[in-house]
Protein backbone atom coordinates (compact mmCIF):
# COMPACT_ATOMS: atom_id res chain seq x y z
CA UNK A 1 0.00 0.00 0.00
CA UNK A 2 1.44 3.33 -1.06
CA UNK A 3 1.63 5.99 1.58
CA UNK A 4 3.22 9.27 2.36
CA UNK A 5 5.35 8.41 5.38
CA UNK A 6 7.23 10.66 7.77
CA UNK A 7 10.72 9.37 8.37
CA UNK A 8 11.95 9.18 11.96
CA UNK A 9 14.23 12.14 11.26
CA UNK A 10 11.17 14.12 10.19
CA UNK A 11 12.88 15.57 7.14
CA UNK A 12 12.71 12.87 4.51
CA UNK A 13 9.34 12.01 3.00
CA UNK A 14 8.57 9.08 0.77
CA UNK A 15 5.65 8.69 -1.54
CA UNK A 16 5.59 4.95 -1.86
CA UNK A 17 4.93 3.70 -5.34
CA UNK A 18 6.18 6.86 -7.06
CA UNK A 19 7.80 5.98 -10.39
CA UNK A 20 9.41 8.06 -13.10
CA UNK A 21 9.12 6.27 -16.43
CA UNK A 22 8.78 9.53 -18.35
CA UNK A 23 11.86 11.13 -16.78
CA UNK A 24 13.82 7.88 -17.20
CA UNK A 25 12.81 7.00 -20.75
CA UNK A 26 12.50 10.49 -22.25
CA UNK A 27 15.08 12.49 -20.36
CA UNK A 28 15.68 14.65 -23.47
CA UNK A 29 12.23 16.14 -22.83
CA UNK A 30 12.81 16.96 -19.17
CA UNK A 31 14.97 19.06 -16.88
CA UNK A 32 15.47 17.69 -13.34
CA UNK A 33 14.24 20.42 -11.00
CA UNK A 34 13.18 21.18 -7.46
CA UNK A 35 10.23 23.26 -6.23
CA UNK A 36 10.67 26.51 -4.33
CA UNK A 37 10.46 26.34 -0.54
CA UNK A 38 7.05 27.59 0.68
CA UNK A 39 7.40 29.97 3.66
CA UNK A 40 4.29 28.71 5.49
CA UNK A 41 2.46 25.90 3.68
CA UNK A 42 -1.15 25.31 4.72
CA UNK A 43 -3.38 22.65 3.20
CA UNK A 44 -6.57 24.29 1.90
CA UNK A 45 -8.27 21.27 0.36
CA UNK A 46 -7.42 17.63 -0.24
CA UNK A 47 -9.34 15.14 -2.35
CA UNK A 48 -9.81 12.11 -0.12
CA UNK A 49 -11.52 9.79 -2.63
CA UNK A 50 -8.86 10.55 -5.23
CA UNK A 51 -6.08 9.99 -2.68
CA UNK A 52 -7.65 6.65 -1.81
CA UNK A 53 -7.82 5.62 -5.47
CA UNK A 54 -4.09 6.40 -5.70
CA UNK A 55 -3.51 4.28 -2.60
CA UNK A 56 -2.17 7.35 -0.80
CA UNK A 57 -2.69 7.69 2.92
CA UNK A 58 -4.74 10.86 3.54
CA UNK A 59 -3.39 11.34 7.05
CA UNK A 60 0.11 11.22 5.57
CA UNK A 61 -0.88 13.88 3.03
CA UNK A 62 -2.22 16.09 5.82
CA UNK A 63 0.97 15.77 7.89
CA UNK A 64 3.65 18.45 7.89
CA UNK A 65 5.79 16.34 5.58
CA UNK A 66 2.85 15.53 3.30
CA UNK A 67 1.99 19.23 2.94
CA UNK A 68 5.68 19.89 2.29
CA UNK A 69 5.52 17.54 -0.69
CA UNK A 70 2.20 18.92 -1.95
CA UNK A 71 3.59 22.47 -1.79
CA UNK A 72 6.68 21.54 -3.80
CA UNK A 73 8.94 22.47 -0.87
CA UNK A 74 10.32 18.97 -0.41
CA UNK A 75 10.74 16.30 -3.01
CA UNK A 76 9.80 12.83 -1.81
CA UNK A 77 12.80 10.56 -1.23
CA UNK A 78 13.75 8.78 -4.43
CA UNK A 79 11.54 11.02 -6.57
CA UNK A 80 12.97 12.59 -9.70
CA UNK A 81 10.93 15.76 -10.16
CA UNK A 82 11.29 17.29 -13.61
CA UNK A 83 10.06 20.25 -15.59
CA UNK A 84 8.69 18.96 -18.91
CA UNK A 85 9.64 20.58 -22.20
CA UNK A 86 6.99 21.38 -24.78
CA UNK A 87 6.25 23.85 -27.53
CA UNK A 88 2.89 25.02 -28.78
CA UNK A 89 0.75 27.13 -31.05
CA UNK A 90 -0.74 29.89 -28.92
CA UNK A 91 -3.60 31.78 -30.58
CA UNK A 92 -2.32 30.39 -33.87
CA UNK A 93 1.32 31.54 -33.51
CA UNK A 94 4.11 29.05 -32.91
CA UNK A 95 6.16 29.23 -29.70
CA UNK A 96 9.12 26.81 -30.03
CA UNK A 97 9.77 26.55 -26.27
CA UNK A 98 7.08 26.76 -23.62
CA UNK A 99 7.46 23.94 -21.09
CA UNK A 100 6.62 23.77 -17.40
CA UNK A 101 7.36 27.35 -16.40
CA UNK A 102 5.68 27.01 -13.04
CA UNK A 103 5.02 23.30 -12.75
CA UNK A 104 6.82 20.04 -12.00
CA UNK A 105 6.14 16.42 -12.76
CA UNK A 106 6.79 14.67 -9.42
CA UNK A 107 6.42 11.23 -10.92
CA UNK A 108 3.81 8.60 -11.67
CA UNK A 109 1.55 6.50 -9.48
CA UNK A 110 -0.50 3.43 -10.22
CA UNK A 111 -4.19 3.65 -9.38
CA UNK A 112 -5.95 0.85 -7.53
CA UNK A 113 -7.25 -0.34 -10.92
CA UNK A 114 -3.74 -0.44 -12.37
CA UNK A 115 -3.67 2.75 -14.47
CA UNK A 116 -0.51 4.88 -14.53
CA UNK A 117 -1.14 8.55 -13.72
CA UNK A 118 1.09 11.60 -13.34
CA UNK A 119 1.37 13.46 -10.07
CA UNK A 120 2.13 17.05 -10.98
CA UNK A 121 2.48 20.36 -9.15
CA UNK A 122 1.40 23.73 -10.52
CA UNK A 123 2.69 26.96 -8.96
CA UNK A 124 5.84 25.39 -7.51
CA UNK A 125 8.30 28.11 -8.52
CA UNK A 126 10.53 29.18 -11.38
CA UNK A 127 12.09 26.65 -13.75
CA UNK A 128 14.35 26.96 -16.80
CA UNK A 129 11.10 27.37 -18.81
CA UNK A 130 9.76 30.34 -16.84
CA UNK A 131 10.79 33.03 -19.34
CA UNK A 132 9.45 36.30 -17.82
CA UNK A 133 7.06 34.56 -15.40
CA UNK A 134 7.49 34.30 -11.63
CA UNK A 135 6.81 30.55 -11.51
CA UNK A 136 4.01 30.98 -8.99
CA UNK A 137 0.25 30.58 -8.87
CA UNK A 138 -2.32 32.09 -6.52
CA UNK A 139 -5.14 30.74 -4.38
CA UNK A 140 -8.16 31.84 -6.50
CA UNK A 141 -7.11 30.26 -9.82
CA UNK A 142 -5.77 27.06 -8.20
CA UNK A 143 -9.02 26.51 -6.29
CA UNK A 144 -10.84 27.32 -9.55
CA UNK A 145 -8.98 24.52 -11.34
CA UNK A 146 -9.63 22.21 -8.39
CA UNK A 147 -13.36 22.83 -8.40
CA UNK A 148 -13.97 22.92 -12.15
CA UNK A 149 -11.89 19.82 -12.87
CA UNK A 150 -13.69 17.89 -10.13
CA UNK A 151 -17.05 19.13 -11.49
CA UNK A 152 -16.06 17.91 -14.97
CA UNK A 153 -15.10 14.55 -13.50
CA UNK A 154 -18.47 14.30 -11.77
CA UNK A 155 -20.15 15.13 -15.10
CA UNK A 156 -18.34 12.16 -16.65
CA UNK A 157 -16.14 14.32 -18.90
CA UNK A 158 -12.54 13.12 -19.31
CA UNK A 159 -10.31 15.46 -17.32
CA UNK A 160 -7.22 15.87 -15.22
CA UNK A 161 -8.12 15.78 -11.53
CA UNK A 162 -7.17 17.76 -8.48
CA UNK A 163 -5.55 16.17 -5.43
CA UNK A 164 -4.92 19.24 -3.28
CA UNK A 165 -4.36 22.95 -3.03
CA UNK A 166 -1.80 24.25 -0.55
CA UNK A 167 -1.47 27.95 0.29
CA UNK A 168 2.24 28.68 0.37
CA UNK A 169 2.27 31.68 2.70
CA UNK A 170 4.02 33.69 -0.01
CA UNK A 171 2.59 36.92 -1.37
CA UNK A 172 2.55 36.79 -5.14
CA UNK A 173 2.31 39.93 -7.25
CA UNK A 174 -0.65 39.96 -9.64
CA UNK A 175 -2.82 43.07 -10.07
CA UNK A 176 -2.09 43.47 -6.34
CA UNK A 177 -0.51 41.08 -3.84
CA UNK A 178 -2.32 37.74 -3.73
CA UNK A 179 -1.80 34.65 -1.59
CA UNK A 180 0.38 32.07 -3.37
CA UNK A 181 -0.77 28.47 -3.84
CA UNK A 182 0.26 25.16 -5.35
CA UNK A 183 -2.17 22.73 -6.97
CA UNK A 184 -1.36 19.02 -7.02
CA UNK A 185 -2.88 17.60 -10.18
CA UNK A 186 -3.36 14.03 -11.33
CA UNK A 187 -3.60 13.22 -15.04
CA UNK A 188 -3.42 10.19 -17.30
CA UNK A 189 -0.32 12.02 -18.50
CA UNK A 190 0.87 15.52 -19.31
CA UNK A 191 1.68 14.65 -22.92
CA UNK A 192 0.29 17.37 -25.12
CA UNK A 193 0.22 18.16 -28.81
CA UNK A 194 2.87 20.70 -27.81
CA UNK A 195 5.13 17.90 -26.49
CA UNK A 196 5.09 16.38 -29.99
CA UNK A 197 5.65 19.76 -31.62
CA UNK A 198 8.76 20.18 -29.48
CA UNK A 199 10.01 16.61 -30.07
CA UNK A 200 9.41 16.68 -33.83
CA UNK A 201 11.80 19.61 -34.13
CA UNK A 202 14.42 17.80 -32.03
CA UNK A 203 14.34 14.80 -34.36
CA UNK A 204 15.56 11.63 -32.66
CA UNK A 205 13.35 11.79 -29.62
CA UNK A 206 10.12 11.80 -31.66
CA UNK A 207 9.79 8.06 -32.20
CA UNK A 208 10.56 7.09 -28.57
CA UNK A 209 7.99 9.72 -27.48
CA UNK A 210 5.37 8.35 -29.85
CA UNK A 211 6.04 4.79 -28.68
CA UNK A 212 5.84 5.89 -25.05
CA UNK A 213 2.53 7.68 -25.66
CA UNK A 214 1.11 4.68 -27.53
CA UNK A 215 2.12 2.27 -24.76
CA UNK A 216 0.65 4.52 -22.11
CA UNK A 217 -2.59 5.66 -23.75
CA UNK A 218 -3.37 3.33 -26.62
CA UNK A 219 -1.68 0.04 -25.62
CA UNK A 220 -3.85 -1.92 -28.05
CA UNK A 221 -1.73 -0.37 -30.85
CA UNK A 222 1.69 -1.42 -29.55
CA UNK A 223 1.69 -4.67 -31.51
CA UNK A 224 1.16 -2.93 -34.84
CA UNK A 225 4.21 -2.56 -37.13
CA UNK A 226 6.25 0.65 -37.22
CA UNK A 227 5.96 0.90 -41.00
CA UNK A 228 3.53 -0.04 -43.73
CA UNK A 229 -0.06 0.82 -44.56
CA UNK A 230 -1.40 -0.04 -41.09
CA UNK A 231 1.49 1.33 -39.04
CA UNK A 232 0.98 2.19 -35.39
CA UNK A 233 1.71 5.91 -35.83
CA UNK A 234 -1.12 6.35 -38.28
CA UNK A 235 -3.48 4.46 -35.97
CA UNK A 236 -2.16 6.54 -33.05
CA UNK A 237 -3.14 9.70 -34.92
CA UNK A 238 -6.56 8.21 -35.52
CA UNK A 239 -6.96 7.28 -31.83
CA UNK A 240 -6.10 10.82 -30.70
CA UNK A 241 -8.47 12.32 -33.29
CA UNK A 242 -11.23 10.07 -31.95
CA UNK A 243 -10.50 10.81 -28.26
CA UNK A 244 -10.43 14.57 -28.87
CA UNK A 245 -13.52 14.56 -31.13
CA UNK A 246 -15.39 12.81 -28.35
CA UNK A 247 -14.04 15.22 -25.73
CA UNK A 248 -14.95 18.42 -27.55
CA UNK A 249 -18.44 17.03 -28.22
CA UNK A 250 -18.83 16.58 -24.45
CA UNK A 251 -17.79 20.20 -23.91
CA UNK A 252 -20.35 21.39 -26.46
CA UNK A 253 -23.09 19.32 -24.85
CA UNK A 254 -22.29 20.68 -21.39
CA UNK A 255 -21.82 24.34 -22.35
CA UNK A 256 -18.15 24.32 -21.34
CA UNK A 257 -15.88 26.99 -22.80
CA UNK A 258 -12.23 26.01 -22.34
CA UNK A 259 -11.00 29.49 -23.16
CA UNK A 260 -7.40 28.80 -24.18
CA UNK A 261 -7.28 25.89 -26.60
CA UNK A 262 -3.65 26.32 -27.54
CA UNK A 263 -1.90 23.16 -28.75
CA UNK A 264 0.02 22.98 -25.46
CA UNK A 265 -3.35 22.65 -23.74
CA UNK A 266 -4.55 19.79 -25.97
CA UNK A 267 -3.75 16.39 -24.48
CA UNK A 268 -2.78 13.15 -26.19
CA UNK A 269 -4.92 11.21 -23.69
CA UNK A 270 -8.14 13.05 -24.59
CA UNK A 271 -8.50 14.60 -21.13
CA UNK A 272 -9.46 18.22 -20.53
CA UNK A 273 -6.44 20.09 -19.17
CA UNK A 274 -5.64 23.60 -17.89
CA UNK A 275 -8.59 25.36 -16.36
CA UNK A 276 -7.26 28.90 -16.61
CA UNK A 277 -9.87 31.10 -18.30
CA UNK A 278 -12.61 28.47 -18.67
CA UNK A 279 -16.28 29.12 -17.97
CA UNK A 280 -19.70 27.53 -18.35
CA UNK A 281 -22.39 29.10 -20.50
CA UNK A 282 -25.35 30.62 -18.77
CA UNK A 283 -27.36 31.92 -21.73
CA UNK A 284 -26.80 29.80 -24.82
CA UNK A 285 -24.64 31.80 -27.21
CA UNK A 286 -22.30 30.23 -29.78
CA UNK A 287 -20.18 33.40 -29.82
CA UNK A 288 -19.65 33.41 -26.04
CA UNK A 289 -16.09 34.37 -25.06
CA UNK A 290 -15.09 34.92 -21.45
CA UNK A 291 -11.31 35.17 -21.59
CA UNK A 292 -9.91 38.68 -21.24
CA UNK A 293 -7.16 37.91 -23.78
CA UNK A 294 -9.38 36.39 -26.47
CA UNK A 295 -10.65 39.60 -28.04
CA UNK A 296 -10.83 38.00 -31.48
CA UNK A 297 -13.02 35.17 -30.22
CA UNK A 298 -10.71 32.45 -31.56
CA UNK A 299 -11.75 30.22 -28.65
CA UNK A 300 -15.43 31.21 -28.55
CA UNK A 301 -17.83 28.46 -27.47
CA UNK A 302 -19.05 27.67 -30.99
CA UNK A 303 -15.54 27.63 -32.47
CA UNK A 304 -14.24 24.87 -30.24
CA UNK A 305 -14.69 21.93 -32.64
CA UNK A 306 -13.05 23.87 -35.50
CA UNK A 307 -10.12 24.93 -33.33
CA UNK A 308 -9.68 21.41 -32.04
CA UNK A 309 -9.48 20.12 -35.59
CA UNK A 310 -6.86 22.78 -36.32
CA UNK A 311 -4.86 21.62 -33.27
CA UNK A 312 -5.11 18.03 -34.46
CA UNK A 313 -3.71 19.10 -37.84
CA UNK A 314 -0.68 20.48 -35.99
CA UNK A 315 -0.43 17.12 -34.20
CA UNK A 316 -0.65 15.20 -37.49
CA UNK A 317 2.19 17.29 -38.89
CA UNK A 318 4.48 16.15 -36.08
CA UNK A 319 3.87 12.49 -36.96
CA UNK A 320 4.38 12.71 -40.73
CA UNK A 321 7.96 11.40 -40.75
CA UNK A 322 6.87 8.37 -38.73
CA UNK A 323 3.73 7.72 -40.78
CA UNK A 324 5.51 7.40 -44.12
CA UNK A 325 9.04 8.15 -45.30
CA UNK A 326 7.62 9.60 -48.53
CA UNK A 327 6.28 13.03 -47.51
CA UNK A 328 3.46 13.17 -50.07
CA UNK A 329 2.19 9.75 -49.03
CA UNK A 330 2.38 10.68 -45.36
CA UNK A 331 0.39 13.85 -45.99
CA UNK A 332 -2.26 12.06 -47.96
CA UNK A 333 -2.93 9.30 -45.38
CA UNK A 334 -2.72 11.68 -42.42
CA UNK A 335 -5.12 14.10 -44.14
CA UNK A 336 -7.57 11.27 -44.73
CA UNK A 337 -7.55 10.57 -40.97
CA UNK A 338 -7.97 14.26 -40.12
CA UNK A 339 -10.89 14.42 -42.51
CA UNK A 340 -12.74 11.92 -40.33
CA UNK A 341 -12.83 14.46 -37.48
CA UNK A 342 -16.06 16.18 -38.57
CA UNK A 343 -17.98 12.94 -38.88
CA UNK A 344 -16.66 11.66 -35.55
CA UNK A 345 -17.51 14.91 -33.81
CA UNK A 346 -20.97 15.07 -35.37
CA UNK A 347 -21.76 11.53 -34.37
CA UNK A 348 -20.71 12.08 -30.72
CA UNK A 349 -22.61 15.36 -30.60
CA UNK A 350 -25.75 13.94 -32.19
CA UNK A 351 -25.75 10.93 -29.85
CA UNK A 352 -25.29 13.25 -26.87
CA UNK A 353 -28.06 15.61 -28.01
CA UNK A 354 -30.39 12.66 -28.56
CA UNK A 355 -29.80 11.61 -24.95
CA UNK A 356 -30.27 15.16 -23.69
CA UNK A 357 -33.63 15.33 -25.49
CA UNK A 358 -34.76 11.86 -24.44
CA UNK A 359 -34.63 10.55 -27.98
CA UNK A 360 -33.03 7.41 -29.32
CA UNK A 361 -30.03 7.91 -31.54
CA UNK A 362 -29.84 8.55 -34.43
CA UNK A 363 -32.25 11.48 -34.34
CA UNK A 364 -34.35 11.25 -37.46
CA UNK A 365 -35.06 14.99 -37.67
CA UNK A 366 -31.67 16.73 -37.53
CA UNK A 367 -33.39 20.10 -37.80
CA UNK A 368 -34.99 19.48 -34.42
CA UNK A 369 -31.66 20.10 -32.67
CA UNK A 370 -30.68 23.07 -34.84
CA UNK A 371 -34.04 24.75 -34.40
CA UNK A 372 -33.85 24.36 -30.63
CA UNK A 373 -30.38 25.93 -30.63
CA UNK A 374 -31.67 28.85 -32.71
CA UNK A 375 -34.55 29.42 -30.27
CA UNK A 376 -32.26 29.27 -27.24
CA UNK A 377 -29.82 31.72 -28.80
CA UNK A 378 -32.62 34.11 -29.81
CA UNK A 379 -34.02 34.17 -26.29
CA UNK A 380 -30.74 33.92 -24.41
CA UNK A 381 -32.11 30.87 -22.58
CA UNK A 382 -30.03 29.24 -19.87
CA UNK A 383 -28.31 26.20 -21.44
CA UNK A 384 -28.22 23.97 -18.36
CA UNK A 385 -31.70 24.99 -17.20
CA UNK A 386 -33.32 24.31 -20.58
CA UNK A 387 -32.86 20.54 -20.57
CA UNK A 388 -34.16 20.13 -17.02
CA UNK A 389 -37.09 22.38 -17.95
CA UNK A 390 -37.88 20.17 -20.95
CA UNK A 391 -37.98 17.11 -18.69
CA UNK A 392 -40.33 19.04 -16.36
CA UNK A 393 -42.51 19.85 -19.36
CA UNK A 394 -42.83 16.12 -20.04
CA UNK A 395 -44.00 15.63 -16.47
CA UNK A 396 -46.70 18.25 -17.05
CA UNK A 397 -44.96 21.19 -15.41
CA UNK A 398 -44.56 23.90 -18.08
CA UNK A 399 -43.52 26.72 -15.81
CA UNK A 400 -39.71 26.22 -16.03
CA UNK A 401 -39.62 26.20 -19.85
CA UNK A 402 -42.07 29.12 -20.03
CA UNK A 403 -39.63 31.11 -17.91
CA UNK A 404 -36.88 30.49 -20.47
CA UNK A 405 -38.59 30.92 -23.85
CA UNK A 406 -42.05 32.50 -24.33
CA UNK A 407 -44.63 29.79 -24.99
CA UNK A 408 -45.75 31.20 -28.35
CA UNK A 409 -42.19 30.94 -29.62
CA UNK A 410 -41.36 27.46 -28.36
CA UNK A 411 -44.78 25.81 -28.80
CA UNK A 412 -44.25 24.68 -32.44
CA UNK A 413 -40.88 23.20 -31.51
CA UNK A 414 -42.36 21.44 -28.47
CA UNK A 415 -45.01 19.91 -30.73
CA UNK A 416 -42.34 18.50 -33.05
CA UNK A 417 -40.36 17.17 -30.10
CA UNK A 418 -43.42 15.49 -28.58
CA UNK A 419 -44.13 14.05 -32.03
CA UNK A 420 -40.61 12.59 -32.25
CA UNK A 421 -40.92 11.07 -28.77
CA UNK A 422 -44.30 9.53 -29.61
CA UNK A 423 -42.97 8.17 -32.88
CA UNK A 424 -40.17 6.47 -30.95
CA UNK A 425 -42.73 5.01 -28.56
CA UNK A 426 -41.18 6.68 -25.52
CA UNK A 427 -43.14 7.02 -22.29
CA UNK A 428 -43.11 10.66 -21.09
CA UNK A 429 -42.32 10.13 -17.42
CA UNK A 430 -39.66 7.50 -18.05
CA UNK A 431 -38.12 9.73 -20.70
CA UNK A 432 -38.04 12.65 -18.28
CA UNK A 433 -36.14 10.52 -15.75
CA UNK A 434 -33.68 9.37 -18.41
CA UNK A 435 -33.09 13.00 -19.41
CA UNK A 436 -32.42 13.96 -15.80
CA UNK A 437 -29.72 11.32 -15.62
CA UNK A 438 -27.72 12.98 -18.41
CA UNK A 439 -28.63 16.66 -17.98
CA UNK A 440 -26.92 18.21 -14.95
CA UNK A 441 -28.83 20.36 -12.53
CA UNK A 442 -25.73 21.89 -10.96
CA UNK A 443 -22.71 23.23 -12.82
CA UNK A 444 -20.07 25.67 -11.53
CA UNK A 445 -21.99 28.83 -12.33
CA UNK A 446 -19.65 31.71 -13.03
CA UNK A 447 -21.14 34.11 -10.49
CA UNK A 448 -21.12 31.53 -7.72
CA UNK A 449 -17.62 30.33 -8.46
CA UNK A 450 -16.40 33.90 -8.60
CA UNK A 451 -17.94 34.71 -5.21
CA UNK A 452 -16.57 31.50 -3.65
CA UNK A 453 -13.05 32.22 -4.90
CA UNK A 454 -13.14 35.80 -3.65
CA UNK A 455 -14.15 34.57 -0.21
CA UNK A 456 -11.44 31.88 -0.26
CA UNK A 457 -8.79 34.43 -1.22
CA UNK A 458 -9.90 36.44 1.83
CA UNK A 459 -9.56 33.35 4.01
CA UNK A 460 -13.15 32.01 4.10
CA UNK A 461 -13.28 28.55 2.51
CA UNK A 462 -16.91 27.78 3.43
CA UNK A 463 -18.58 28.97 0.18
CA UNK A 464 -15.94 27.09 -1.84
CA UNK A 465 -16.47 23.87 0.11
CA UNK A 466 -20.23 24.13 -0.30
CA UNK A 467 -20.04 24.82 -4.03
CA UNK A 468 -17.60 21.91 -4.43
CA UNK A 469 -20.05 19.58 -2.70
CA UNK A 470 -22.88 20.74 -4.99
CA UNK A 471 -21.04 20.55 -8.32
CA UNK A 472 -19.57 17.14 -7.55
CA UNK A 473 -23.18 15.85 -7.29
CA UNK A 474 -24.46 17.42 -10.51
CA UNK A 475 -27.51 15.23 -11.02
CA UNK A 476 -28.92 14.85 -7.48
CA UNK A 477 -31.65 17.38 -6.74
CA UNK A 478 -31.64 18.64 -3.17
CA UNK A 479 -34.04 21.28 -1.90
CA UNK A 480 -31.34 23.10 0.07
CA UNK A 481 -29.30 23.51 -3.11
CA UNK A 482 -31.97 25.40 -5.07
CA UNK A 483 -29.88 28.61 -5.18
CA UNK A 484 -27.26 26.77 -7.22
CA UNK A 485 -29.55 26.36 -10.22
CA UNK A 486 -30.07 30.12 -10.57
CA UNK A 487 -28.59 31.81 -13.63
CA UNK A 488 -26.25 34.73 -13.00
CA UNK A 489 -27.81 38.17 -12.62
CA UNK A 490 -27.51 40.09 -15.89
CA UNK A 491 -25.36 42.74 -14.23
CA UNK A 492 -22.80 40.00 -13.50
CA UNK A 493 -22.87 38.33 -16.93
CA UNK A 494 -22.48 41.63 -18.79
CA UNK A 495 -19.03 42.23 -17.33
CA UNK A 496 -17.78 38.76 -16.36
CA UNK A 497 -14.29 37.94 -17.65
CA UNK A 498 -11.81 35.15 -16.98
CA UNK A 499 -8.04 35.40 -16.87
CA UNK A 500 -5.29 33.20 -18.19
CA UNK A 501 -2.17 31.99 -16.40
CA UNK A 502 -3.05 33.93 -13.26
P1 LIG B 1 -0.95 28.22 -19.64
O1 LIG B 1 -1.57 29.43 -20.26
O2 LIG B 1 -1.19 28.09 -18.17
O3 LIG B 1 -1.28 26.97 -20.38
O4 LIG B 1 0.63 28.42 -19.75
C1 LIG B 1 1.31 28.67 -20.95
C2 LIG B 1 2.79 28.74 -20.69
O5 LIG B 1 3.09 29.83 -19.81
C3 LIG B 1 3.39 27.52 -20.04
O6 LIG B 1 4.68 27.33 -20.56
C4 LIG B 1 3.44 27.90 -18.58
O7 LIG B 1 4.40 27.17 -17.86
C5 LIG B 1 3.80 29.37 -18.67
N1 LIG B 1 3.38 30.14 -17.48
C6 LIG B 1 2.13 30.52 -17.14
N2 LIG B 1 2.15 31.23 -15.99
C7 LIG B 1 3.43 31.30 -15.58
C8 LIG B 1 4.11 31.90 -14.46
N3 LIG B 1 3.46 32.56 -13.52
N4 LIG B 1 5.46 31.76 -14.40
C9 LIG B 1 6.13 31.08 -15.34
N5 LIG B 1 5.57 30.51 -16.40
C10 LIG B 1 4.23 30.60 -16.54
MG1 LIG C 1 -1.02 25.07 -20.23
Amino acid sequence: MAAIQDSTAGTATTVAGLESTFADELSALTVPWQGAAAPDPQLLVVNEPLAASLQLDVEGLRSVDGVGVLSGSTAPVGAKPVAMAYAGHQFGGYAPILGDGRALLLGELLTSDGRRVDLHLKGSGRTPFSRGGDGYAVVGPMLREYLVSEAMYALGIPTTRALSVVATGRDVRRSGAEPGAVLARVASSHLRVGTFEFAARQGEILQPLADYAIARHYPELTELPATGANNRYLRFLEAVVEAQASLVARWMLTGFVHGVMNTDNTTISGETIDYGPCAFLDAFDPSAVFSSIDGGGRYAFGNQPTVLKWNLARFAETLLTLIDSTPDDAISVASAILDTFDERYESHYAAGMAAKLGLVHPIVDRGLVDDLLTLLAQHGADWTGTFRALADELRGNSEPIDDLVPREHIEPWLQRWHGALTEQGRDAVETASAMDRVNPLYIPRNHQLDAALRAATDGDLVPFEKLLEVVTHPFDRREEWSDYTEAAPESFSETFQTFCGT
Side-chain angles (χ1 to χ4, degrees):
M1 160 103 175
I4 289 205
Q5 297 156 346
D6 303 358
S7 78
T8 44
T11 51
T13 303
T14 48
V15 179
L18 199 62
E19 296 179 2
S20 50
T21 62
F22 185 78
D24 291 343
E25 294 171 32
L26 296 158
S27 58
L29 299 175
T30 65
V31 179
W33 207 253
Q34 164 71 51
D40 180 21
Q42 303 287 341
L43 187 62
L44 298 184
V45 53
V46 62
N47 190 334
E48 297 195 5
L50 178 61
S53 77
L54 299 172
Q55 306 179 68
L56 292 172
D57 163 29
V58 179
E59 285 321 303
L61 289 178
R62 289 184 185 280
S63 72
V64 171
D65 283 357
V67 174
V69 168
L70 296 175
S71 73
S73 291
T74 39
V77 172
K80 297 179 192 164
V82 293
M84 296 169 81
Y86 53 85
H89 279 84
Q90 300 191 306
F91 290 90
Y94 187 63
I97 302 185
L98 291 169
D100 287 334
R102 55 166 173 170
L104 290 176
L105 174 62
L106 276 188
E108 301 132 26
L109 290 166
L110 292 179
T111 62
S112 41
D113 54 3
R115 288 180 311 111
R116 177 175 301 277
V117 293
D118 281 0
L119 179 58
H120 173 102
L121 301 177
K122 185 162 169 179
S124 50
R126 285 183 60 81
T127 76
F129 301 109
S130 296
R131 295 166 289 151
D134 60 8
Y136 297 128
V138 295
V139 164
M142 293 307 99
L143 287 178
R144 178 171 232 279
E145 169 152 350
Y146 188 109
L147 185 138
V148 181
S149 63
E150 288 303 306
M152 294 286 271
Y153 178 76
L155 289 164
I157 301 175
T159 178
T160 63
R161 296 198 61 192
L163 179 63
S164 62
V165 175
V166 174
T168 57
R170 176 186 286 107
D171 274 348
V172 174
R173 192 181 293 275
R174 290 293 179 259
S175 45
E178 293 211 33
V182 174
L183 169 82
R185 172 160 88 182
V186 172
S188 287
S189 84
H190 285 79
L191 300 178
R192 310 138 190 270
V193 169
T195 317
F196 281 80
E197 292 180 290
F198 182 86
R201 286 158 177 90
Q202 306 294 307
E204 270 175 21
I205 193 67
L206 178 67
Q207 189 161 11
L209 171 65
D211 285 334
Y212 179 91
I214 291 169
R216 196 153 160 185
H217 297 298
Y218 305 100
E220 66 281 8
L221 305 179
T222 48
E223 299 303 318
L224 292 177
T227 56
N230 192 36
N231 71 73
R232 61 178 175 266
Y233 306 111
L234 189 62
R235 297 279 83 92
F236 172 45
L237 171 62
E238 184 174 37
V240 176
V241 169
E242 169 60 22
Q244 285 287 347
S246 164
L247 179 66
V248 76
R250 303 297 301 270
W251 293 357
M252 299 307 288
L253 293 163
T254 317
F256 176 75
V257 188
H258 181 280
V260 61
M261 291 175 67
N262 294 329
T263 57
D264 51 301
N265 293 335
T266 302
T267 57
I268 299 306
S269 63
E271 286 178 349
T272 312
I273 197 170
D274 273 5
Y275 292 87
C278 66
F280 283 82
L281 293 183
D282 280 309
F284 176 71
D285 173 10
S287 67
V289 175
F290 298 98
S291 169
S292 62
I293 59 165
D294 191 10
R298 180 181 173 90
Y299 301 138
F301 175 68
N303 275 357
Q304 295 187 117
T306 307
V307 164
L308 209 268
K309 188 179 177 187
W310 190 90
N311 289 354
L312 291 170
R314 305 289 77 73
F315 178 55
E317 283 164 3
T318 72
L319 296 180
L320 289 175
T321 55
L322 300 179
I323 286 173
D324 200 304
S325 54
T326 309
D328 283 352
D329 293 348
I331 290 172
S332 105
V333 288
S335 302
I337 300 272
L338 274 177
D339 287 344
T340 66
F341 175 84
D342 297 332
E343 209 180 308
R344 290 171 193 272
Y345 168 74
E346 284 302 330
S347 115
H348 288 294
Y349 185 77
M353 270 316 256
K356 285 178 85 62
L357 293 172
L359 292 161
V360 288
H361 183 61
I363 300 179
V364 186
D365 178 6
R366 286 295 304 269
L368 192 66
V369 171
D370 295 339
D371 293 347
L372 175 65
L373 299 186
T374 304
L375 272 172
L376 298 183
Q378 276 166 356
H379 296 276
D382 185 74
W383 177 254
T384 307
T386 293
F387 295 91
R388 284 284 177 149
L390 288 174
D392 287 338
E393 166 84 11
L394 284 186
R395 296 190 192 92
N397 174 11
S398 358
E399 208 182 300
I401 196 70
D402 287 348
D403 284 348
L404 293 168
V405 184
R407 174 68 37 174
E408 66 272 26
H409 290 118
I410 201 165
E411 185 60 30
W413 185 88
L414 288 173
Q415 294 294 340
R416 281 163 66 198
W417 178 52
H418 282 298
L421 290 170
T422 311
E423 216 166 276
Q424 297 192 344
R426 310 216 81 183
D427 169 79
V429 174
E430 261 172 45
T431 303
S433 305
M435 288 170 69
D436 284 353
R437 287 194 290 275
V438 296
N439 293 316
L441 192 51
Y442 310 111
I443 50 150
R445 292 201 173 259
N446 303 319
H447 63 298
Q448 279 158 343
L449 181 54
D450 210 52
L453 298 180
R454 277 175 208 275
T457 300
D458 292 341
D460 176 12
L461 280 167
V462 173
F464 171 84
E465 285 162 354
K466 179 141 190 236
L467 184 61
L468 179 64
E469 169 78 5
V470 173
V471 300
T472 51
H473 297 87
F475 303 101
D476 315 346
R477 183 184 290 280
R478 294 201 204 160
E479 282 319 312
E480 68 273 25
W481 290 352
S482 59
D483 286 358
Y484 292 89
T485 57
E486 299 286 324
E490 236 168 71
S491 56
F492 176 90
S493 302
E494 274 164 8
T495 54
F496 175 64
Q497 279 200 321
T498 57
F499 300 90
C500 218
T502 42

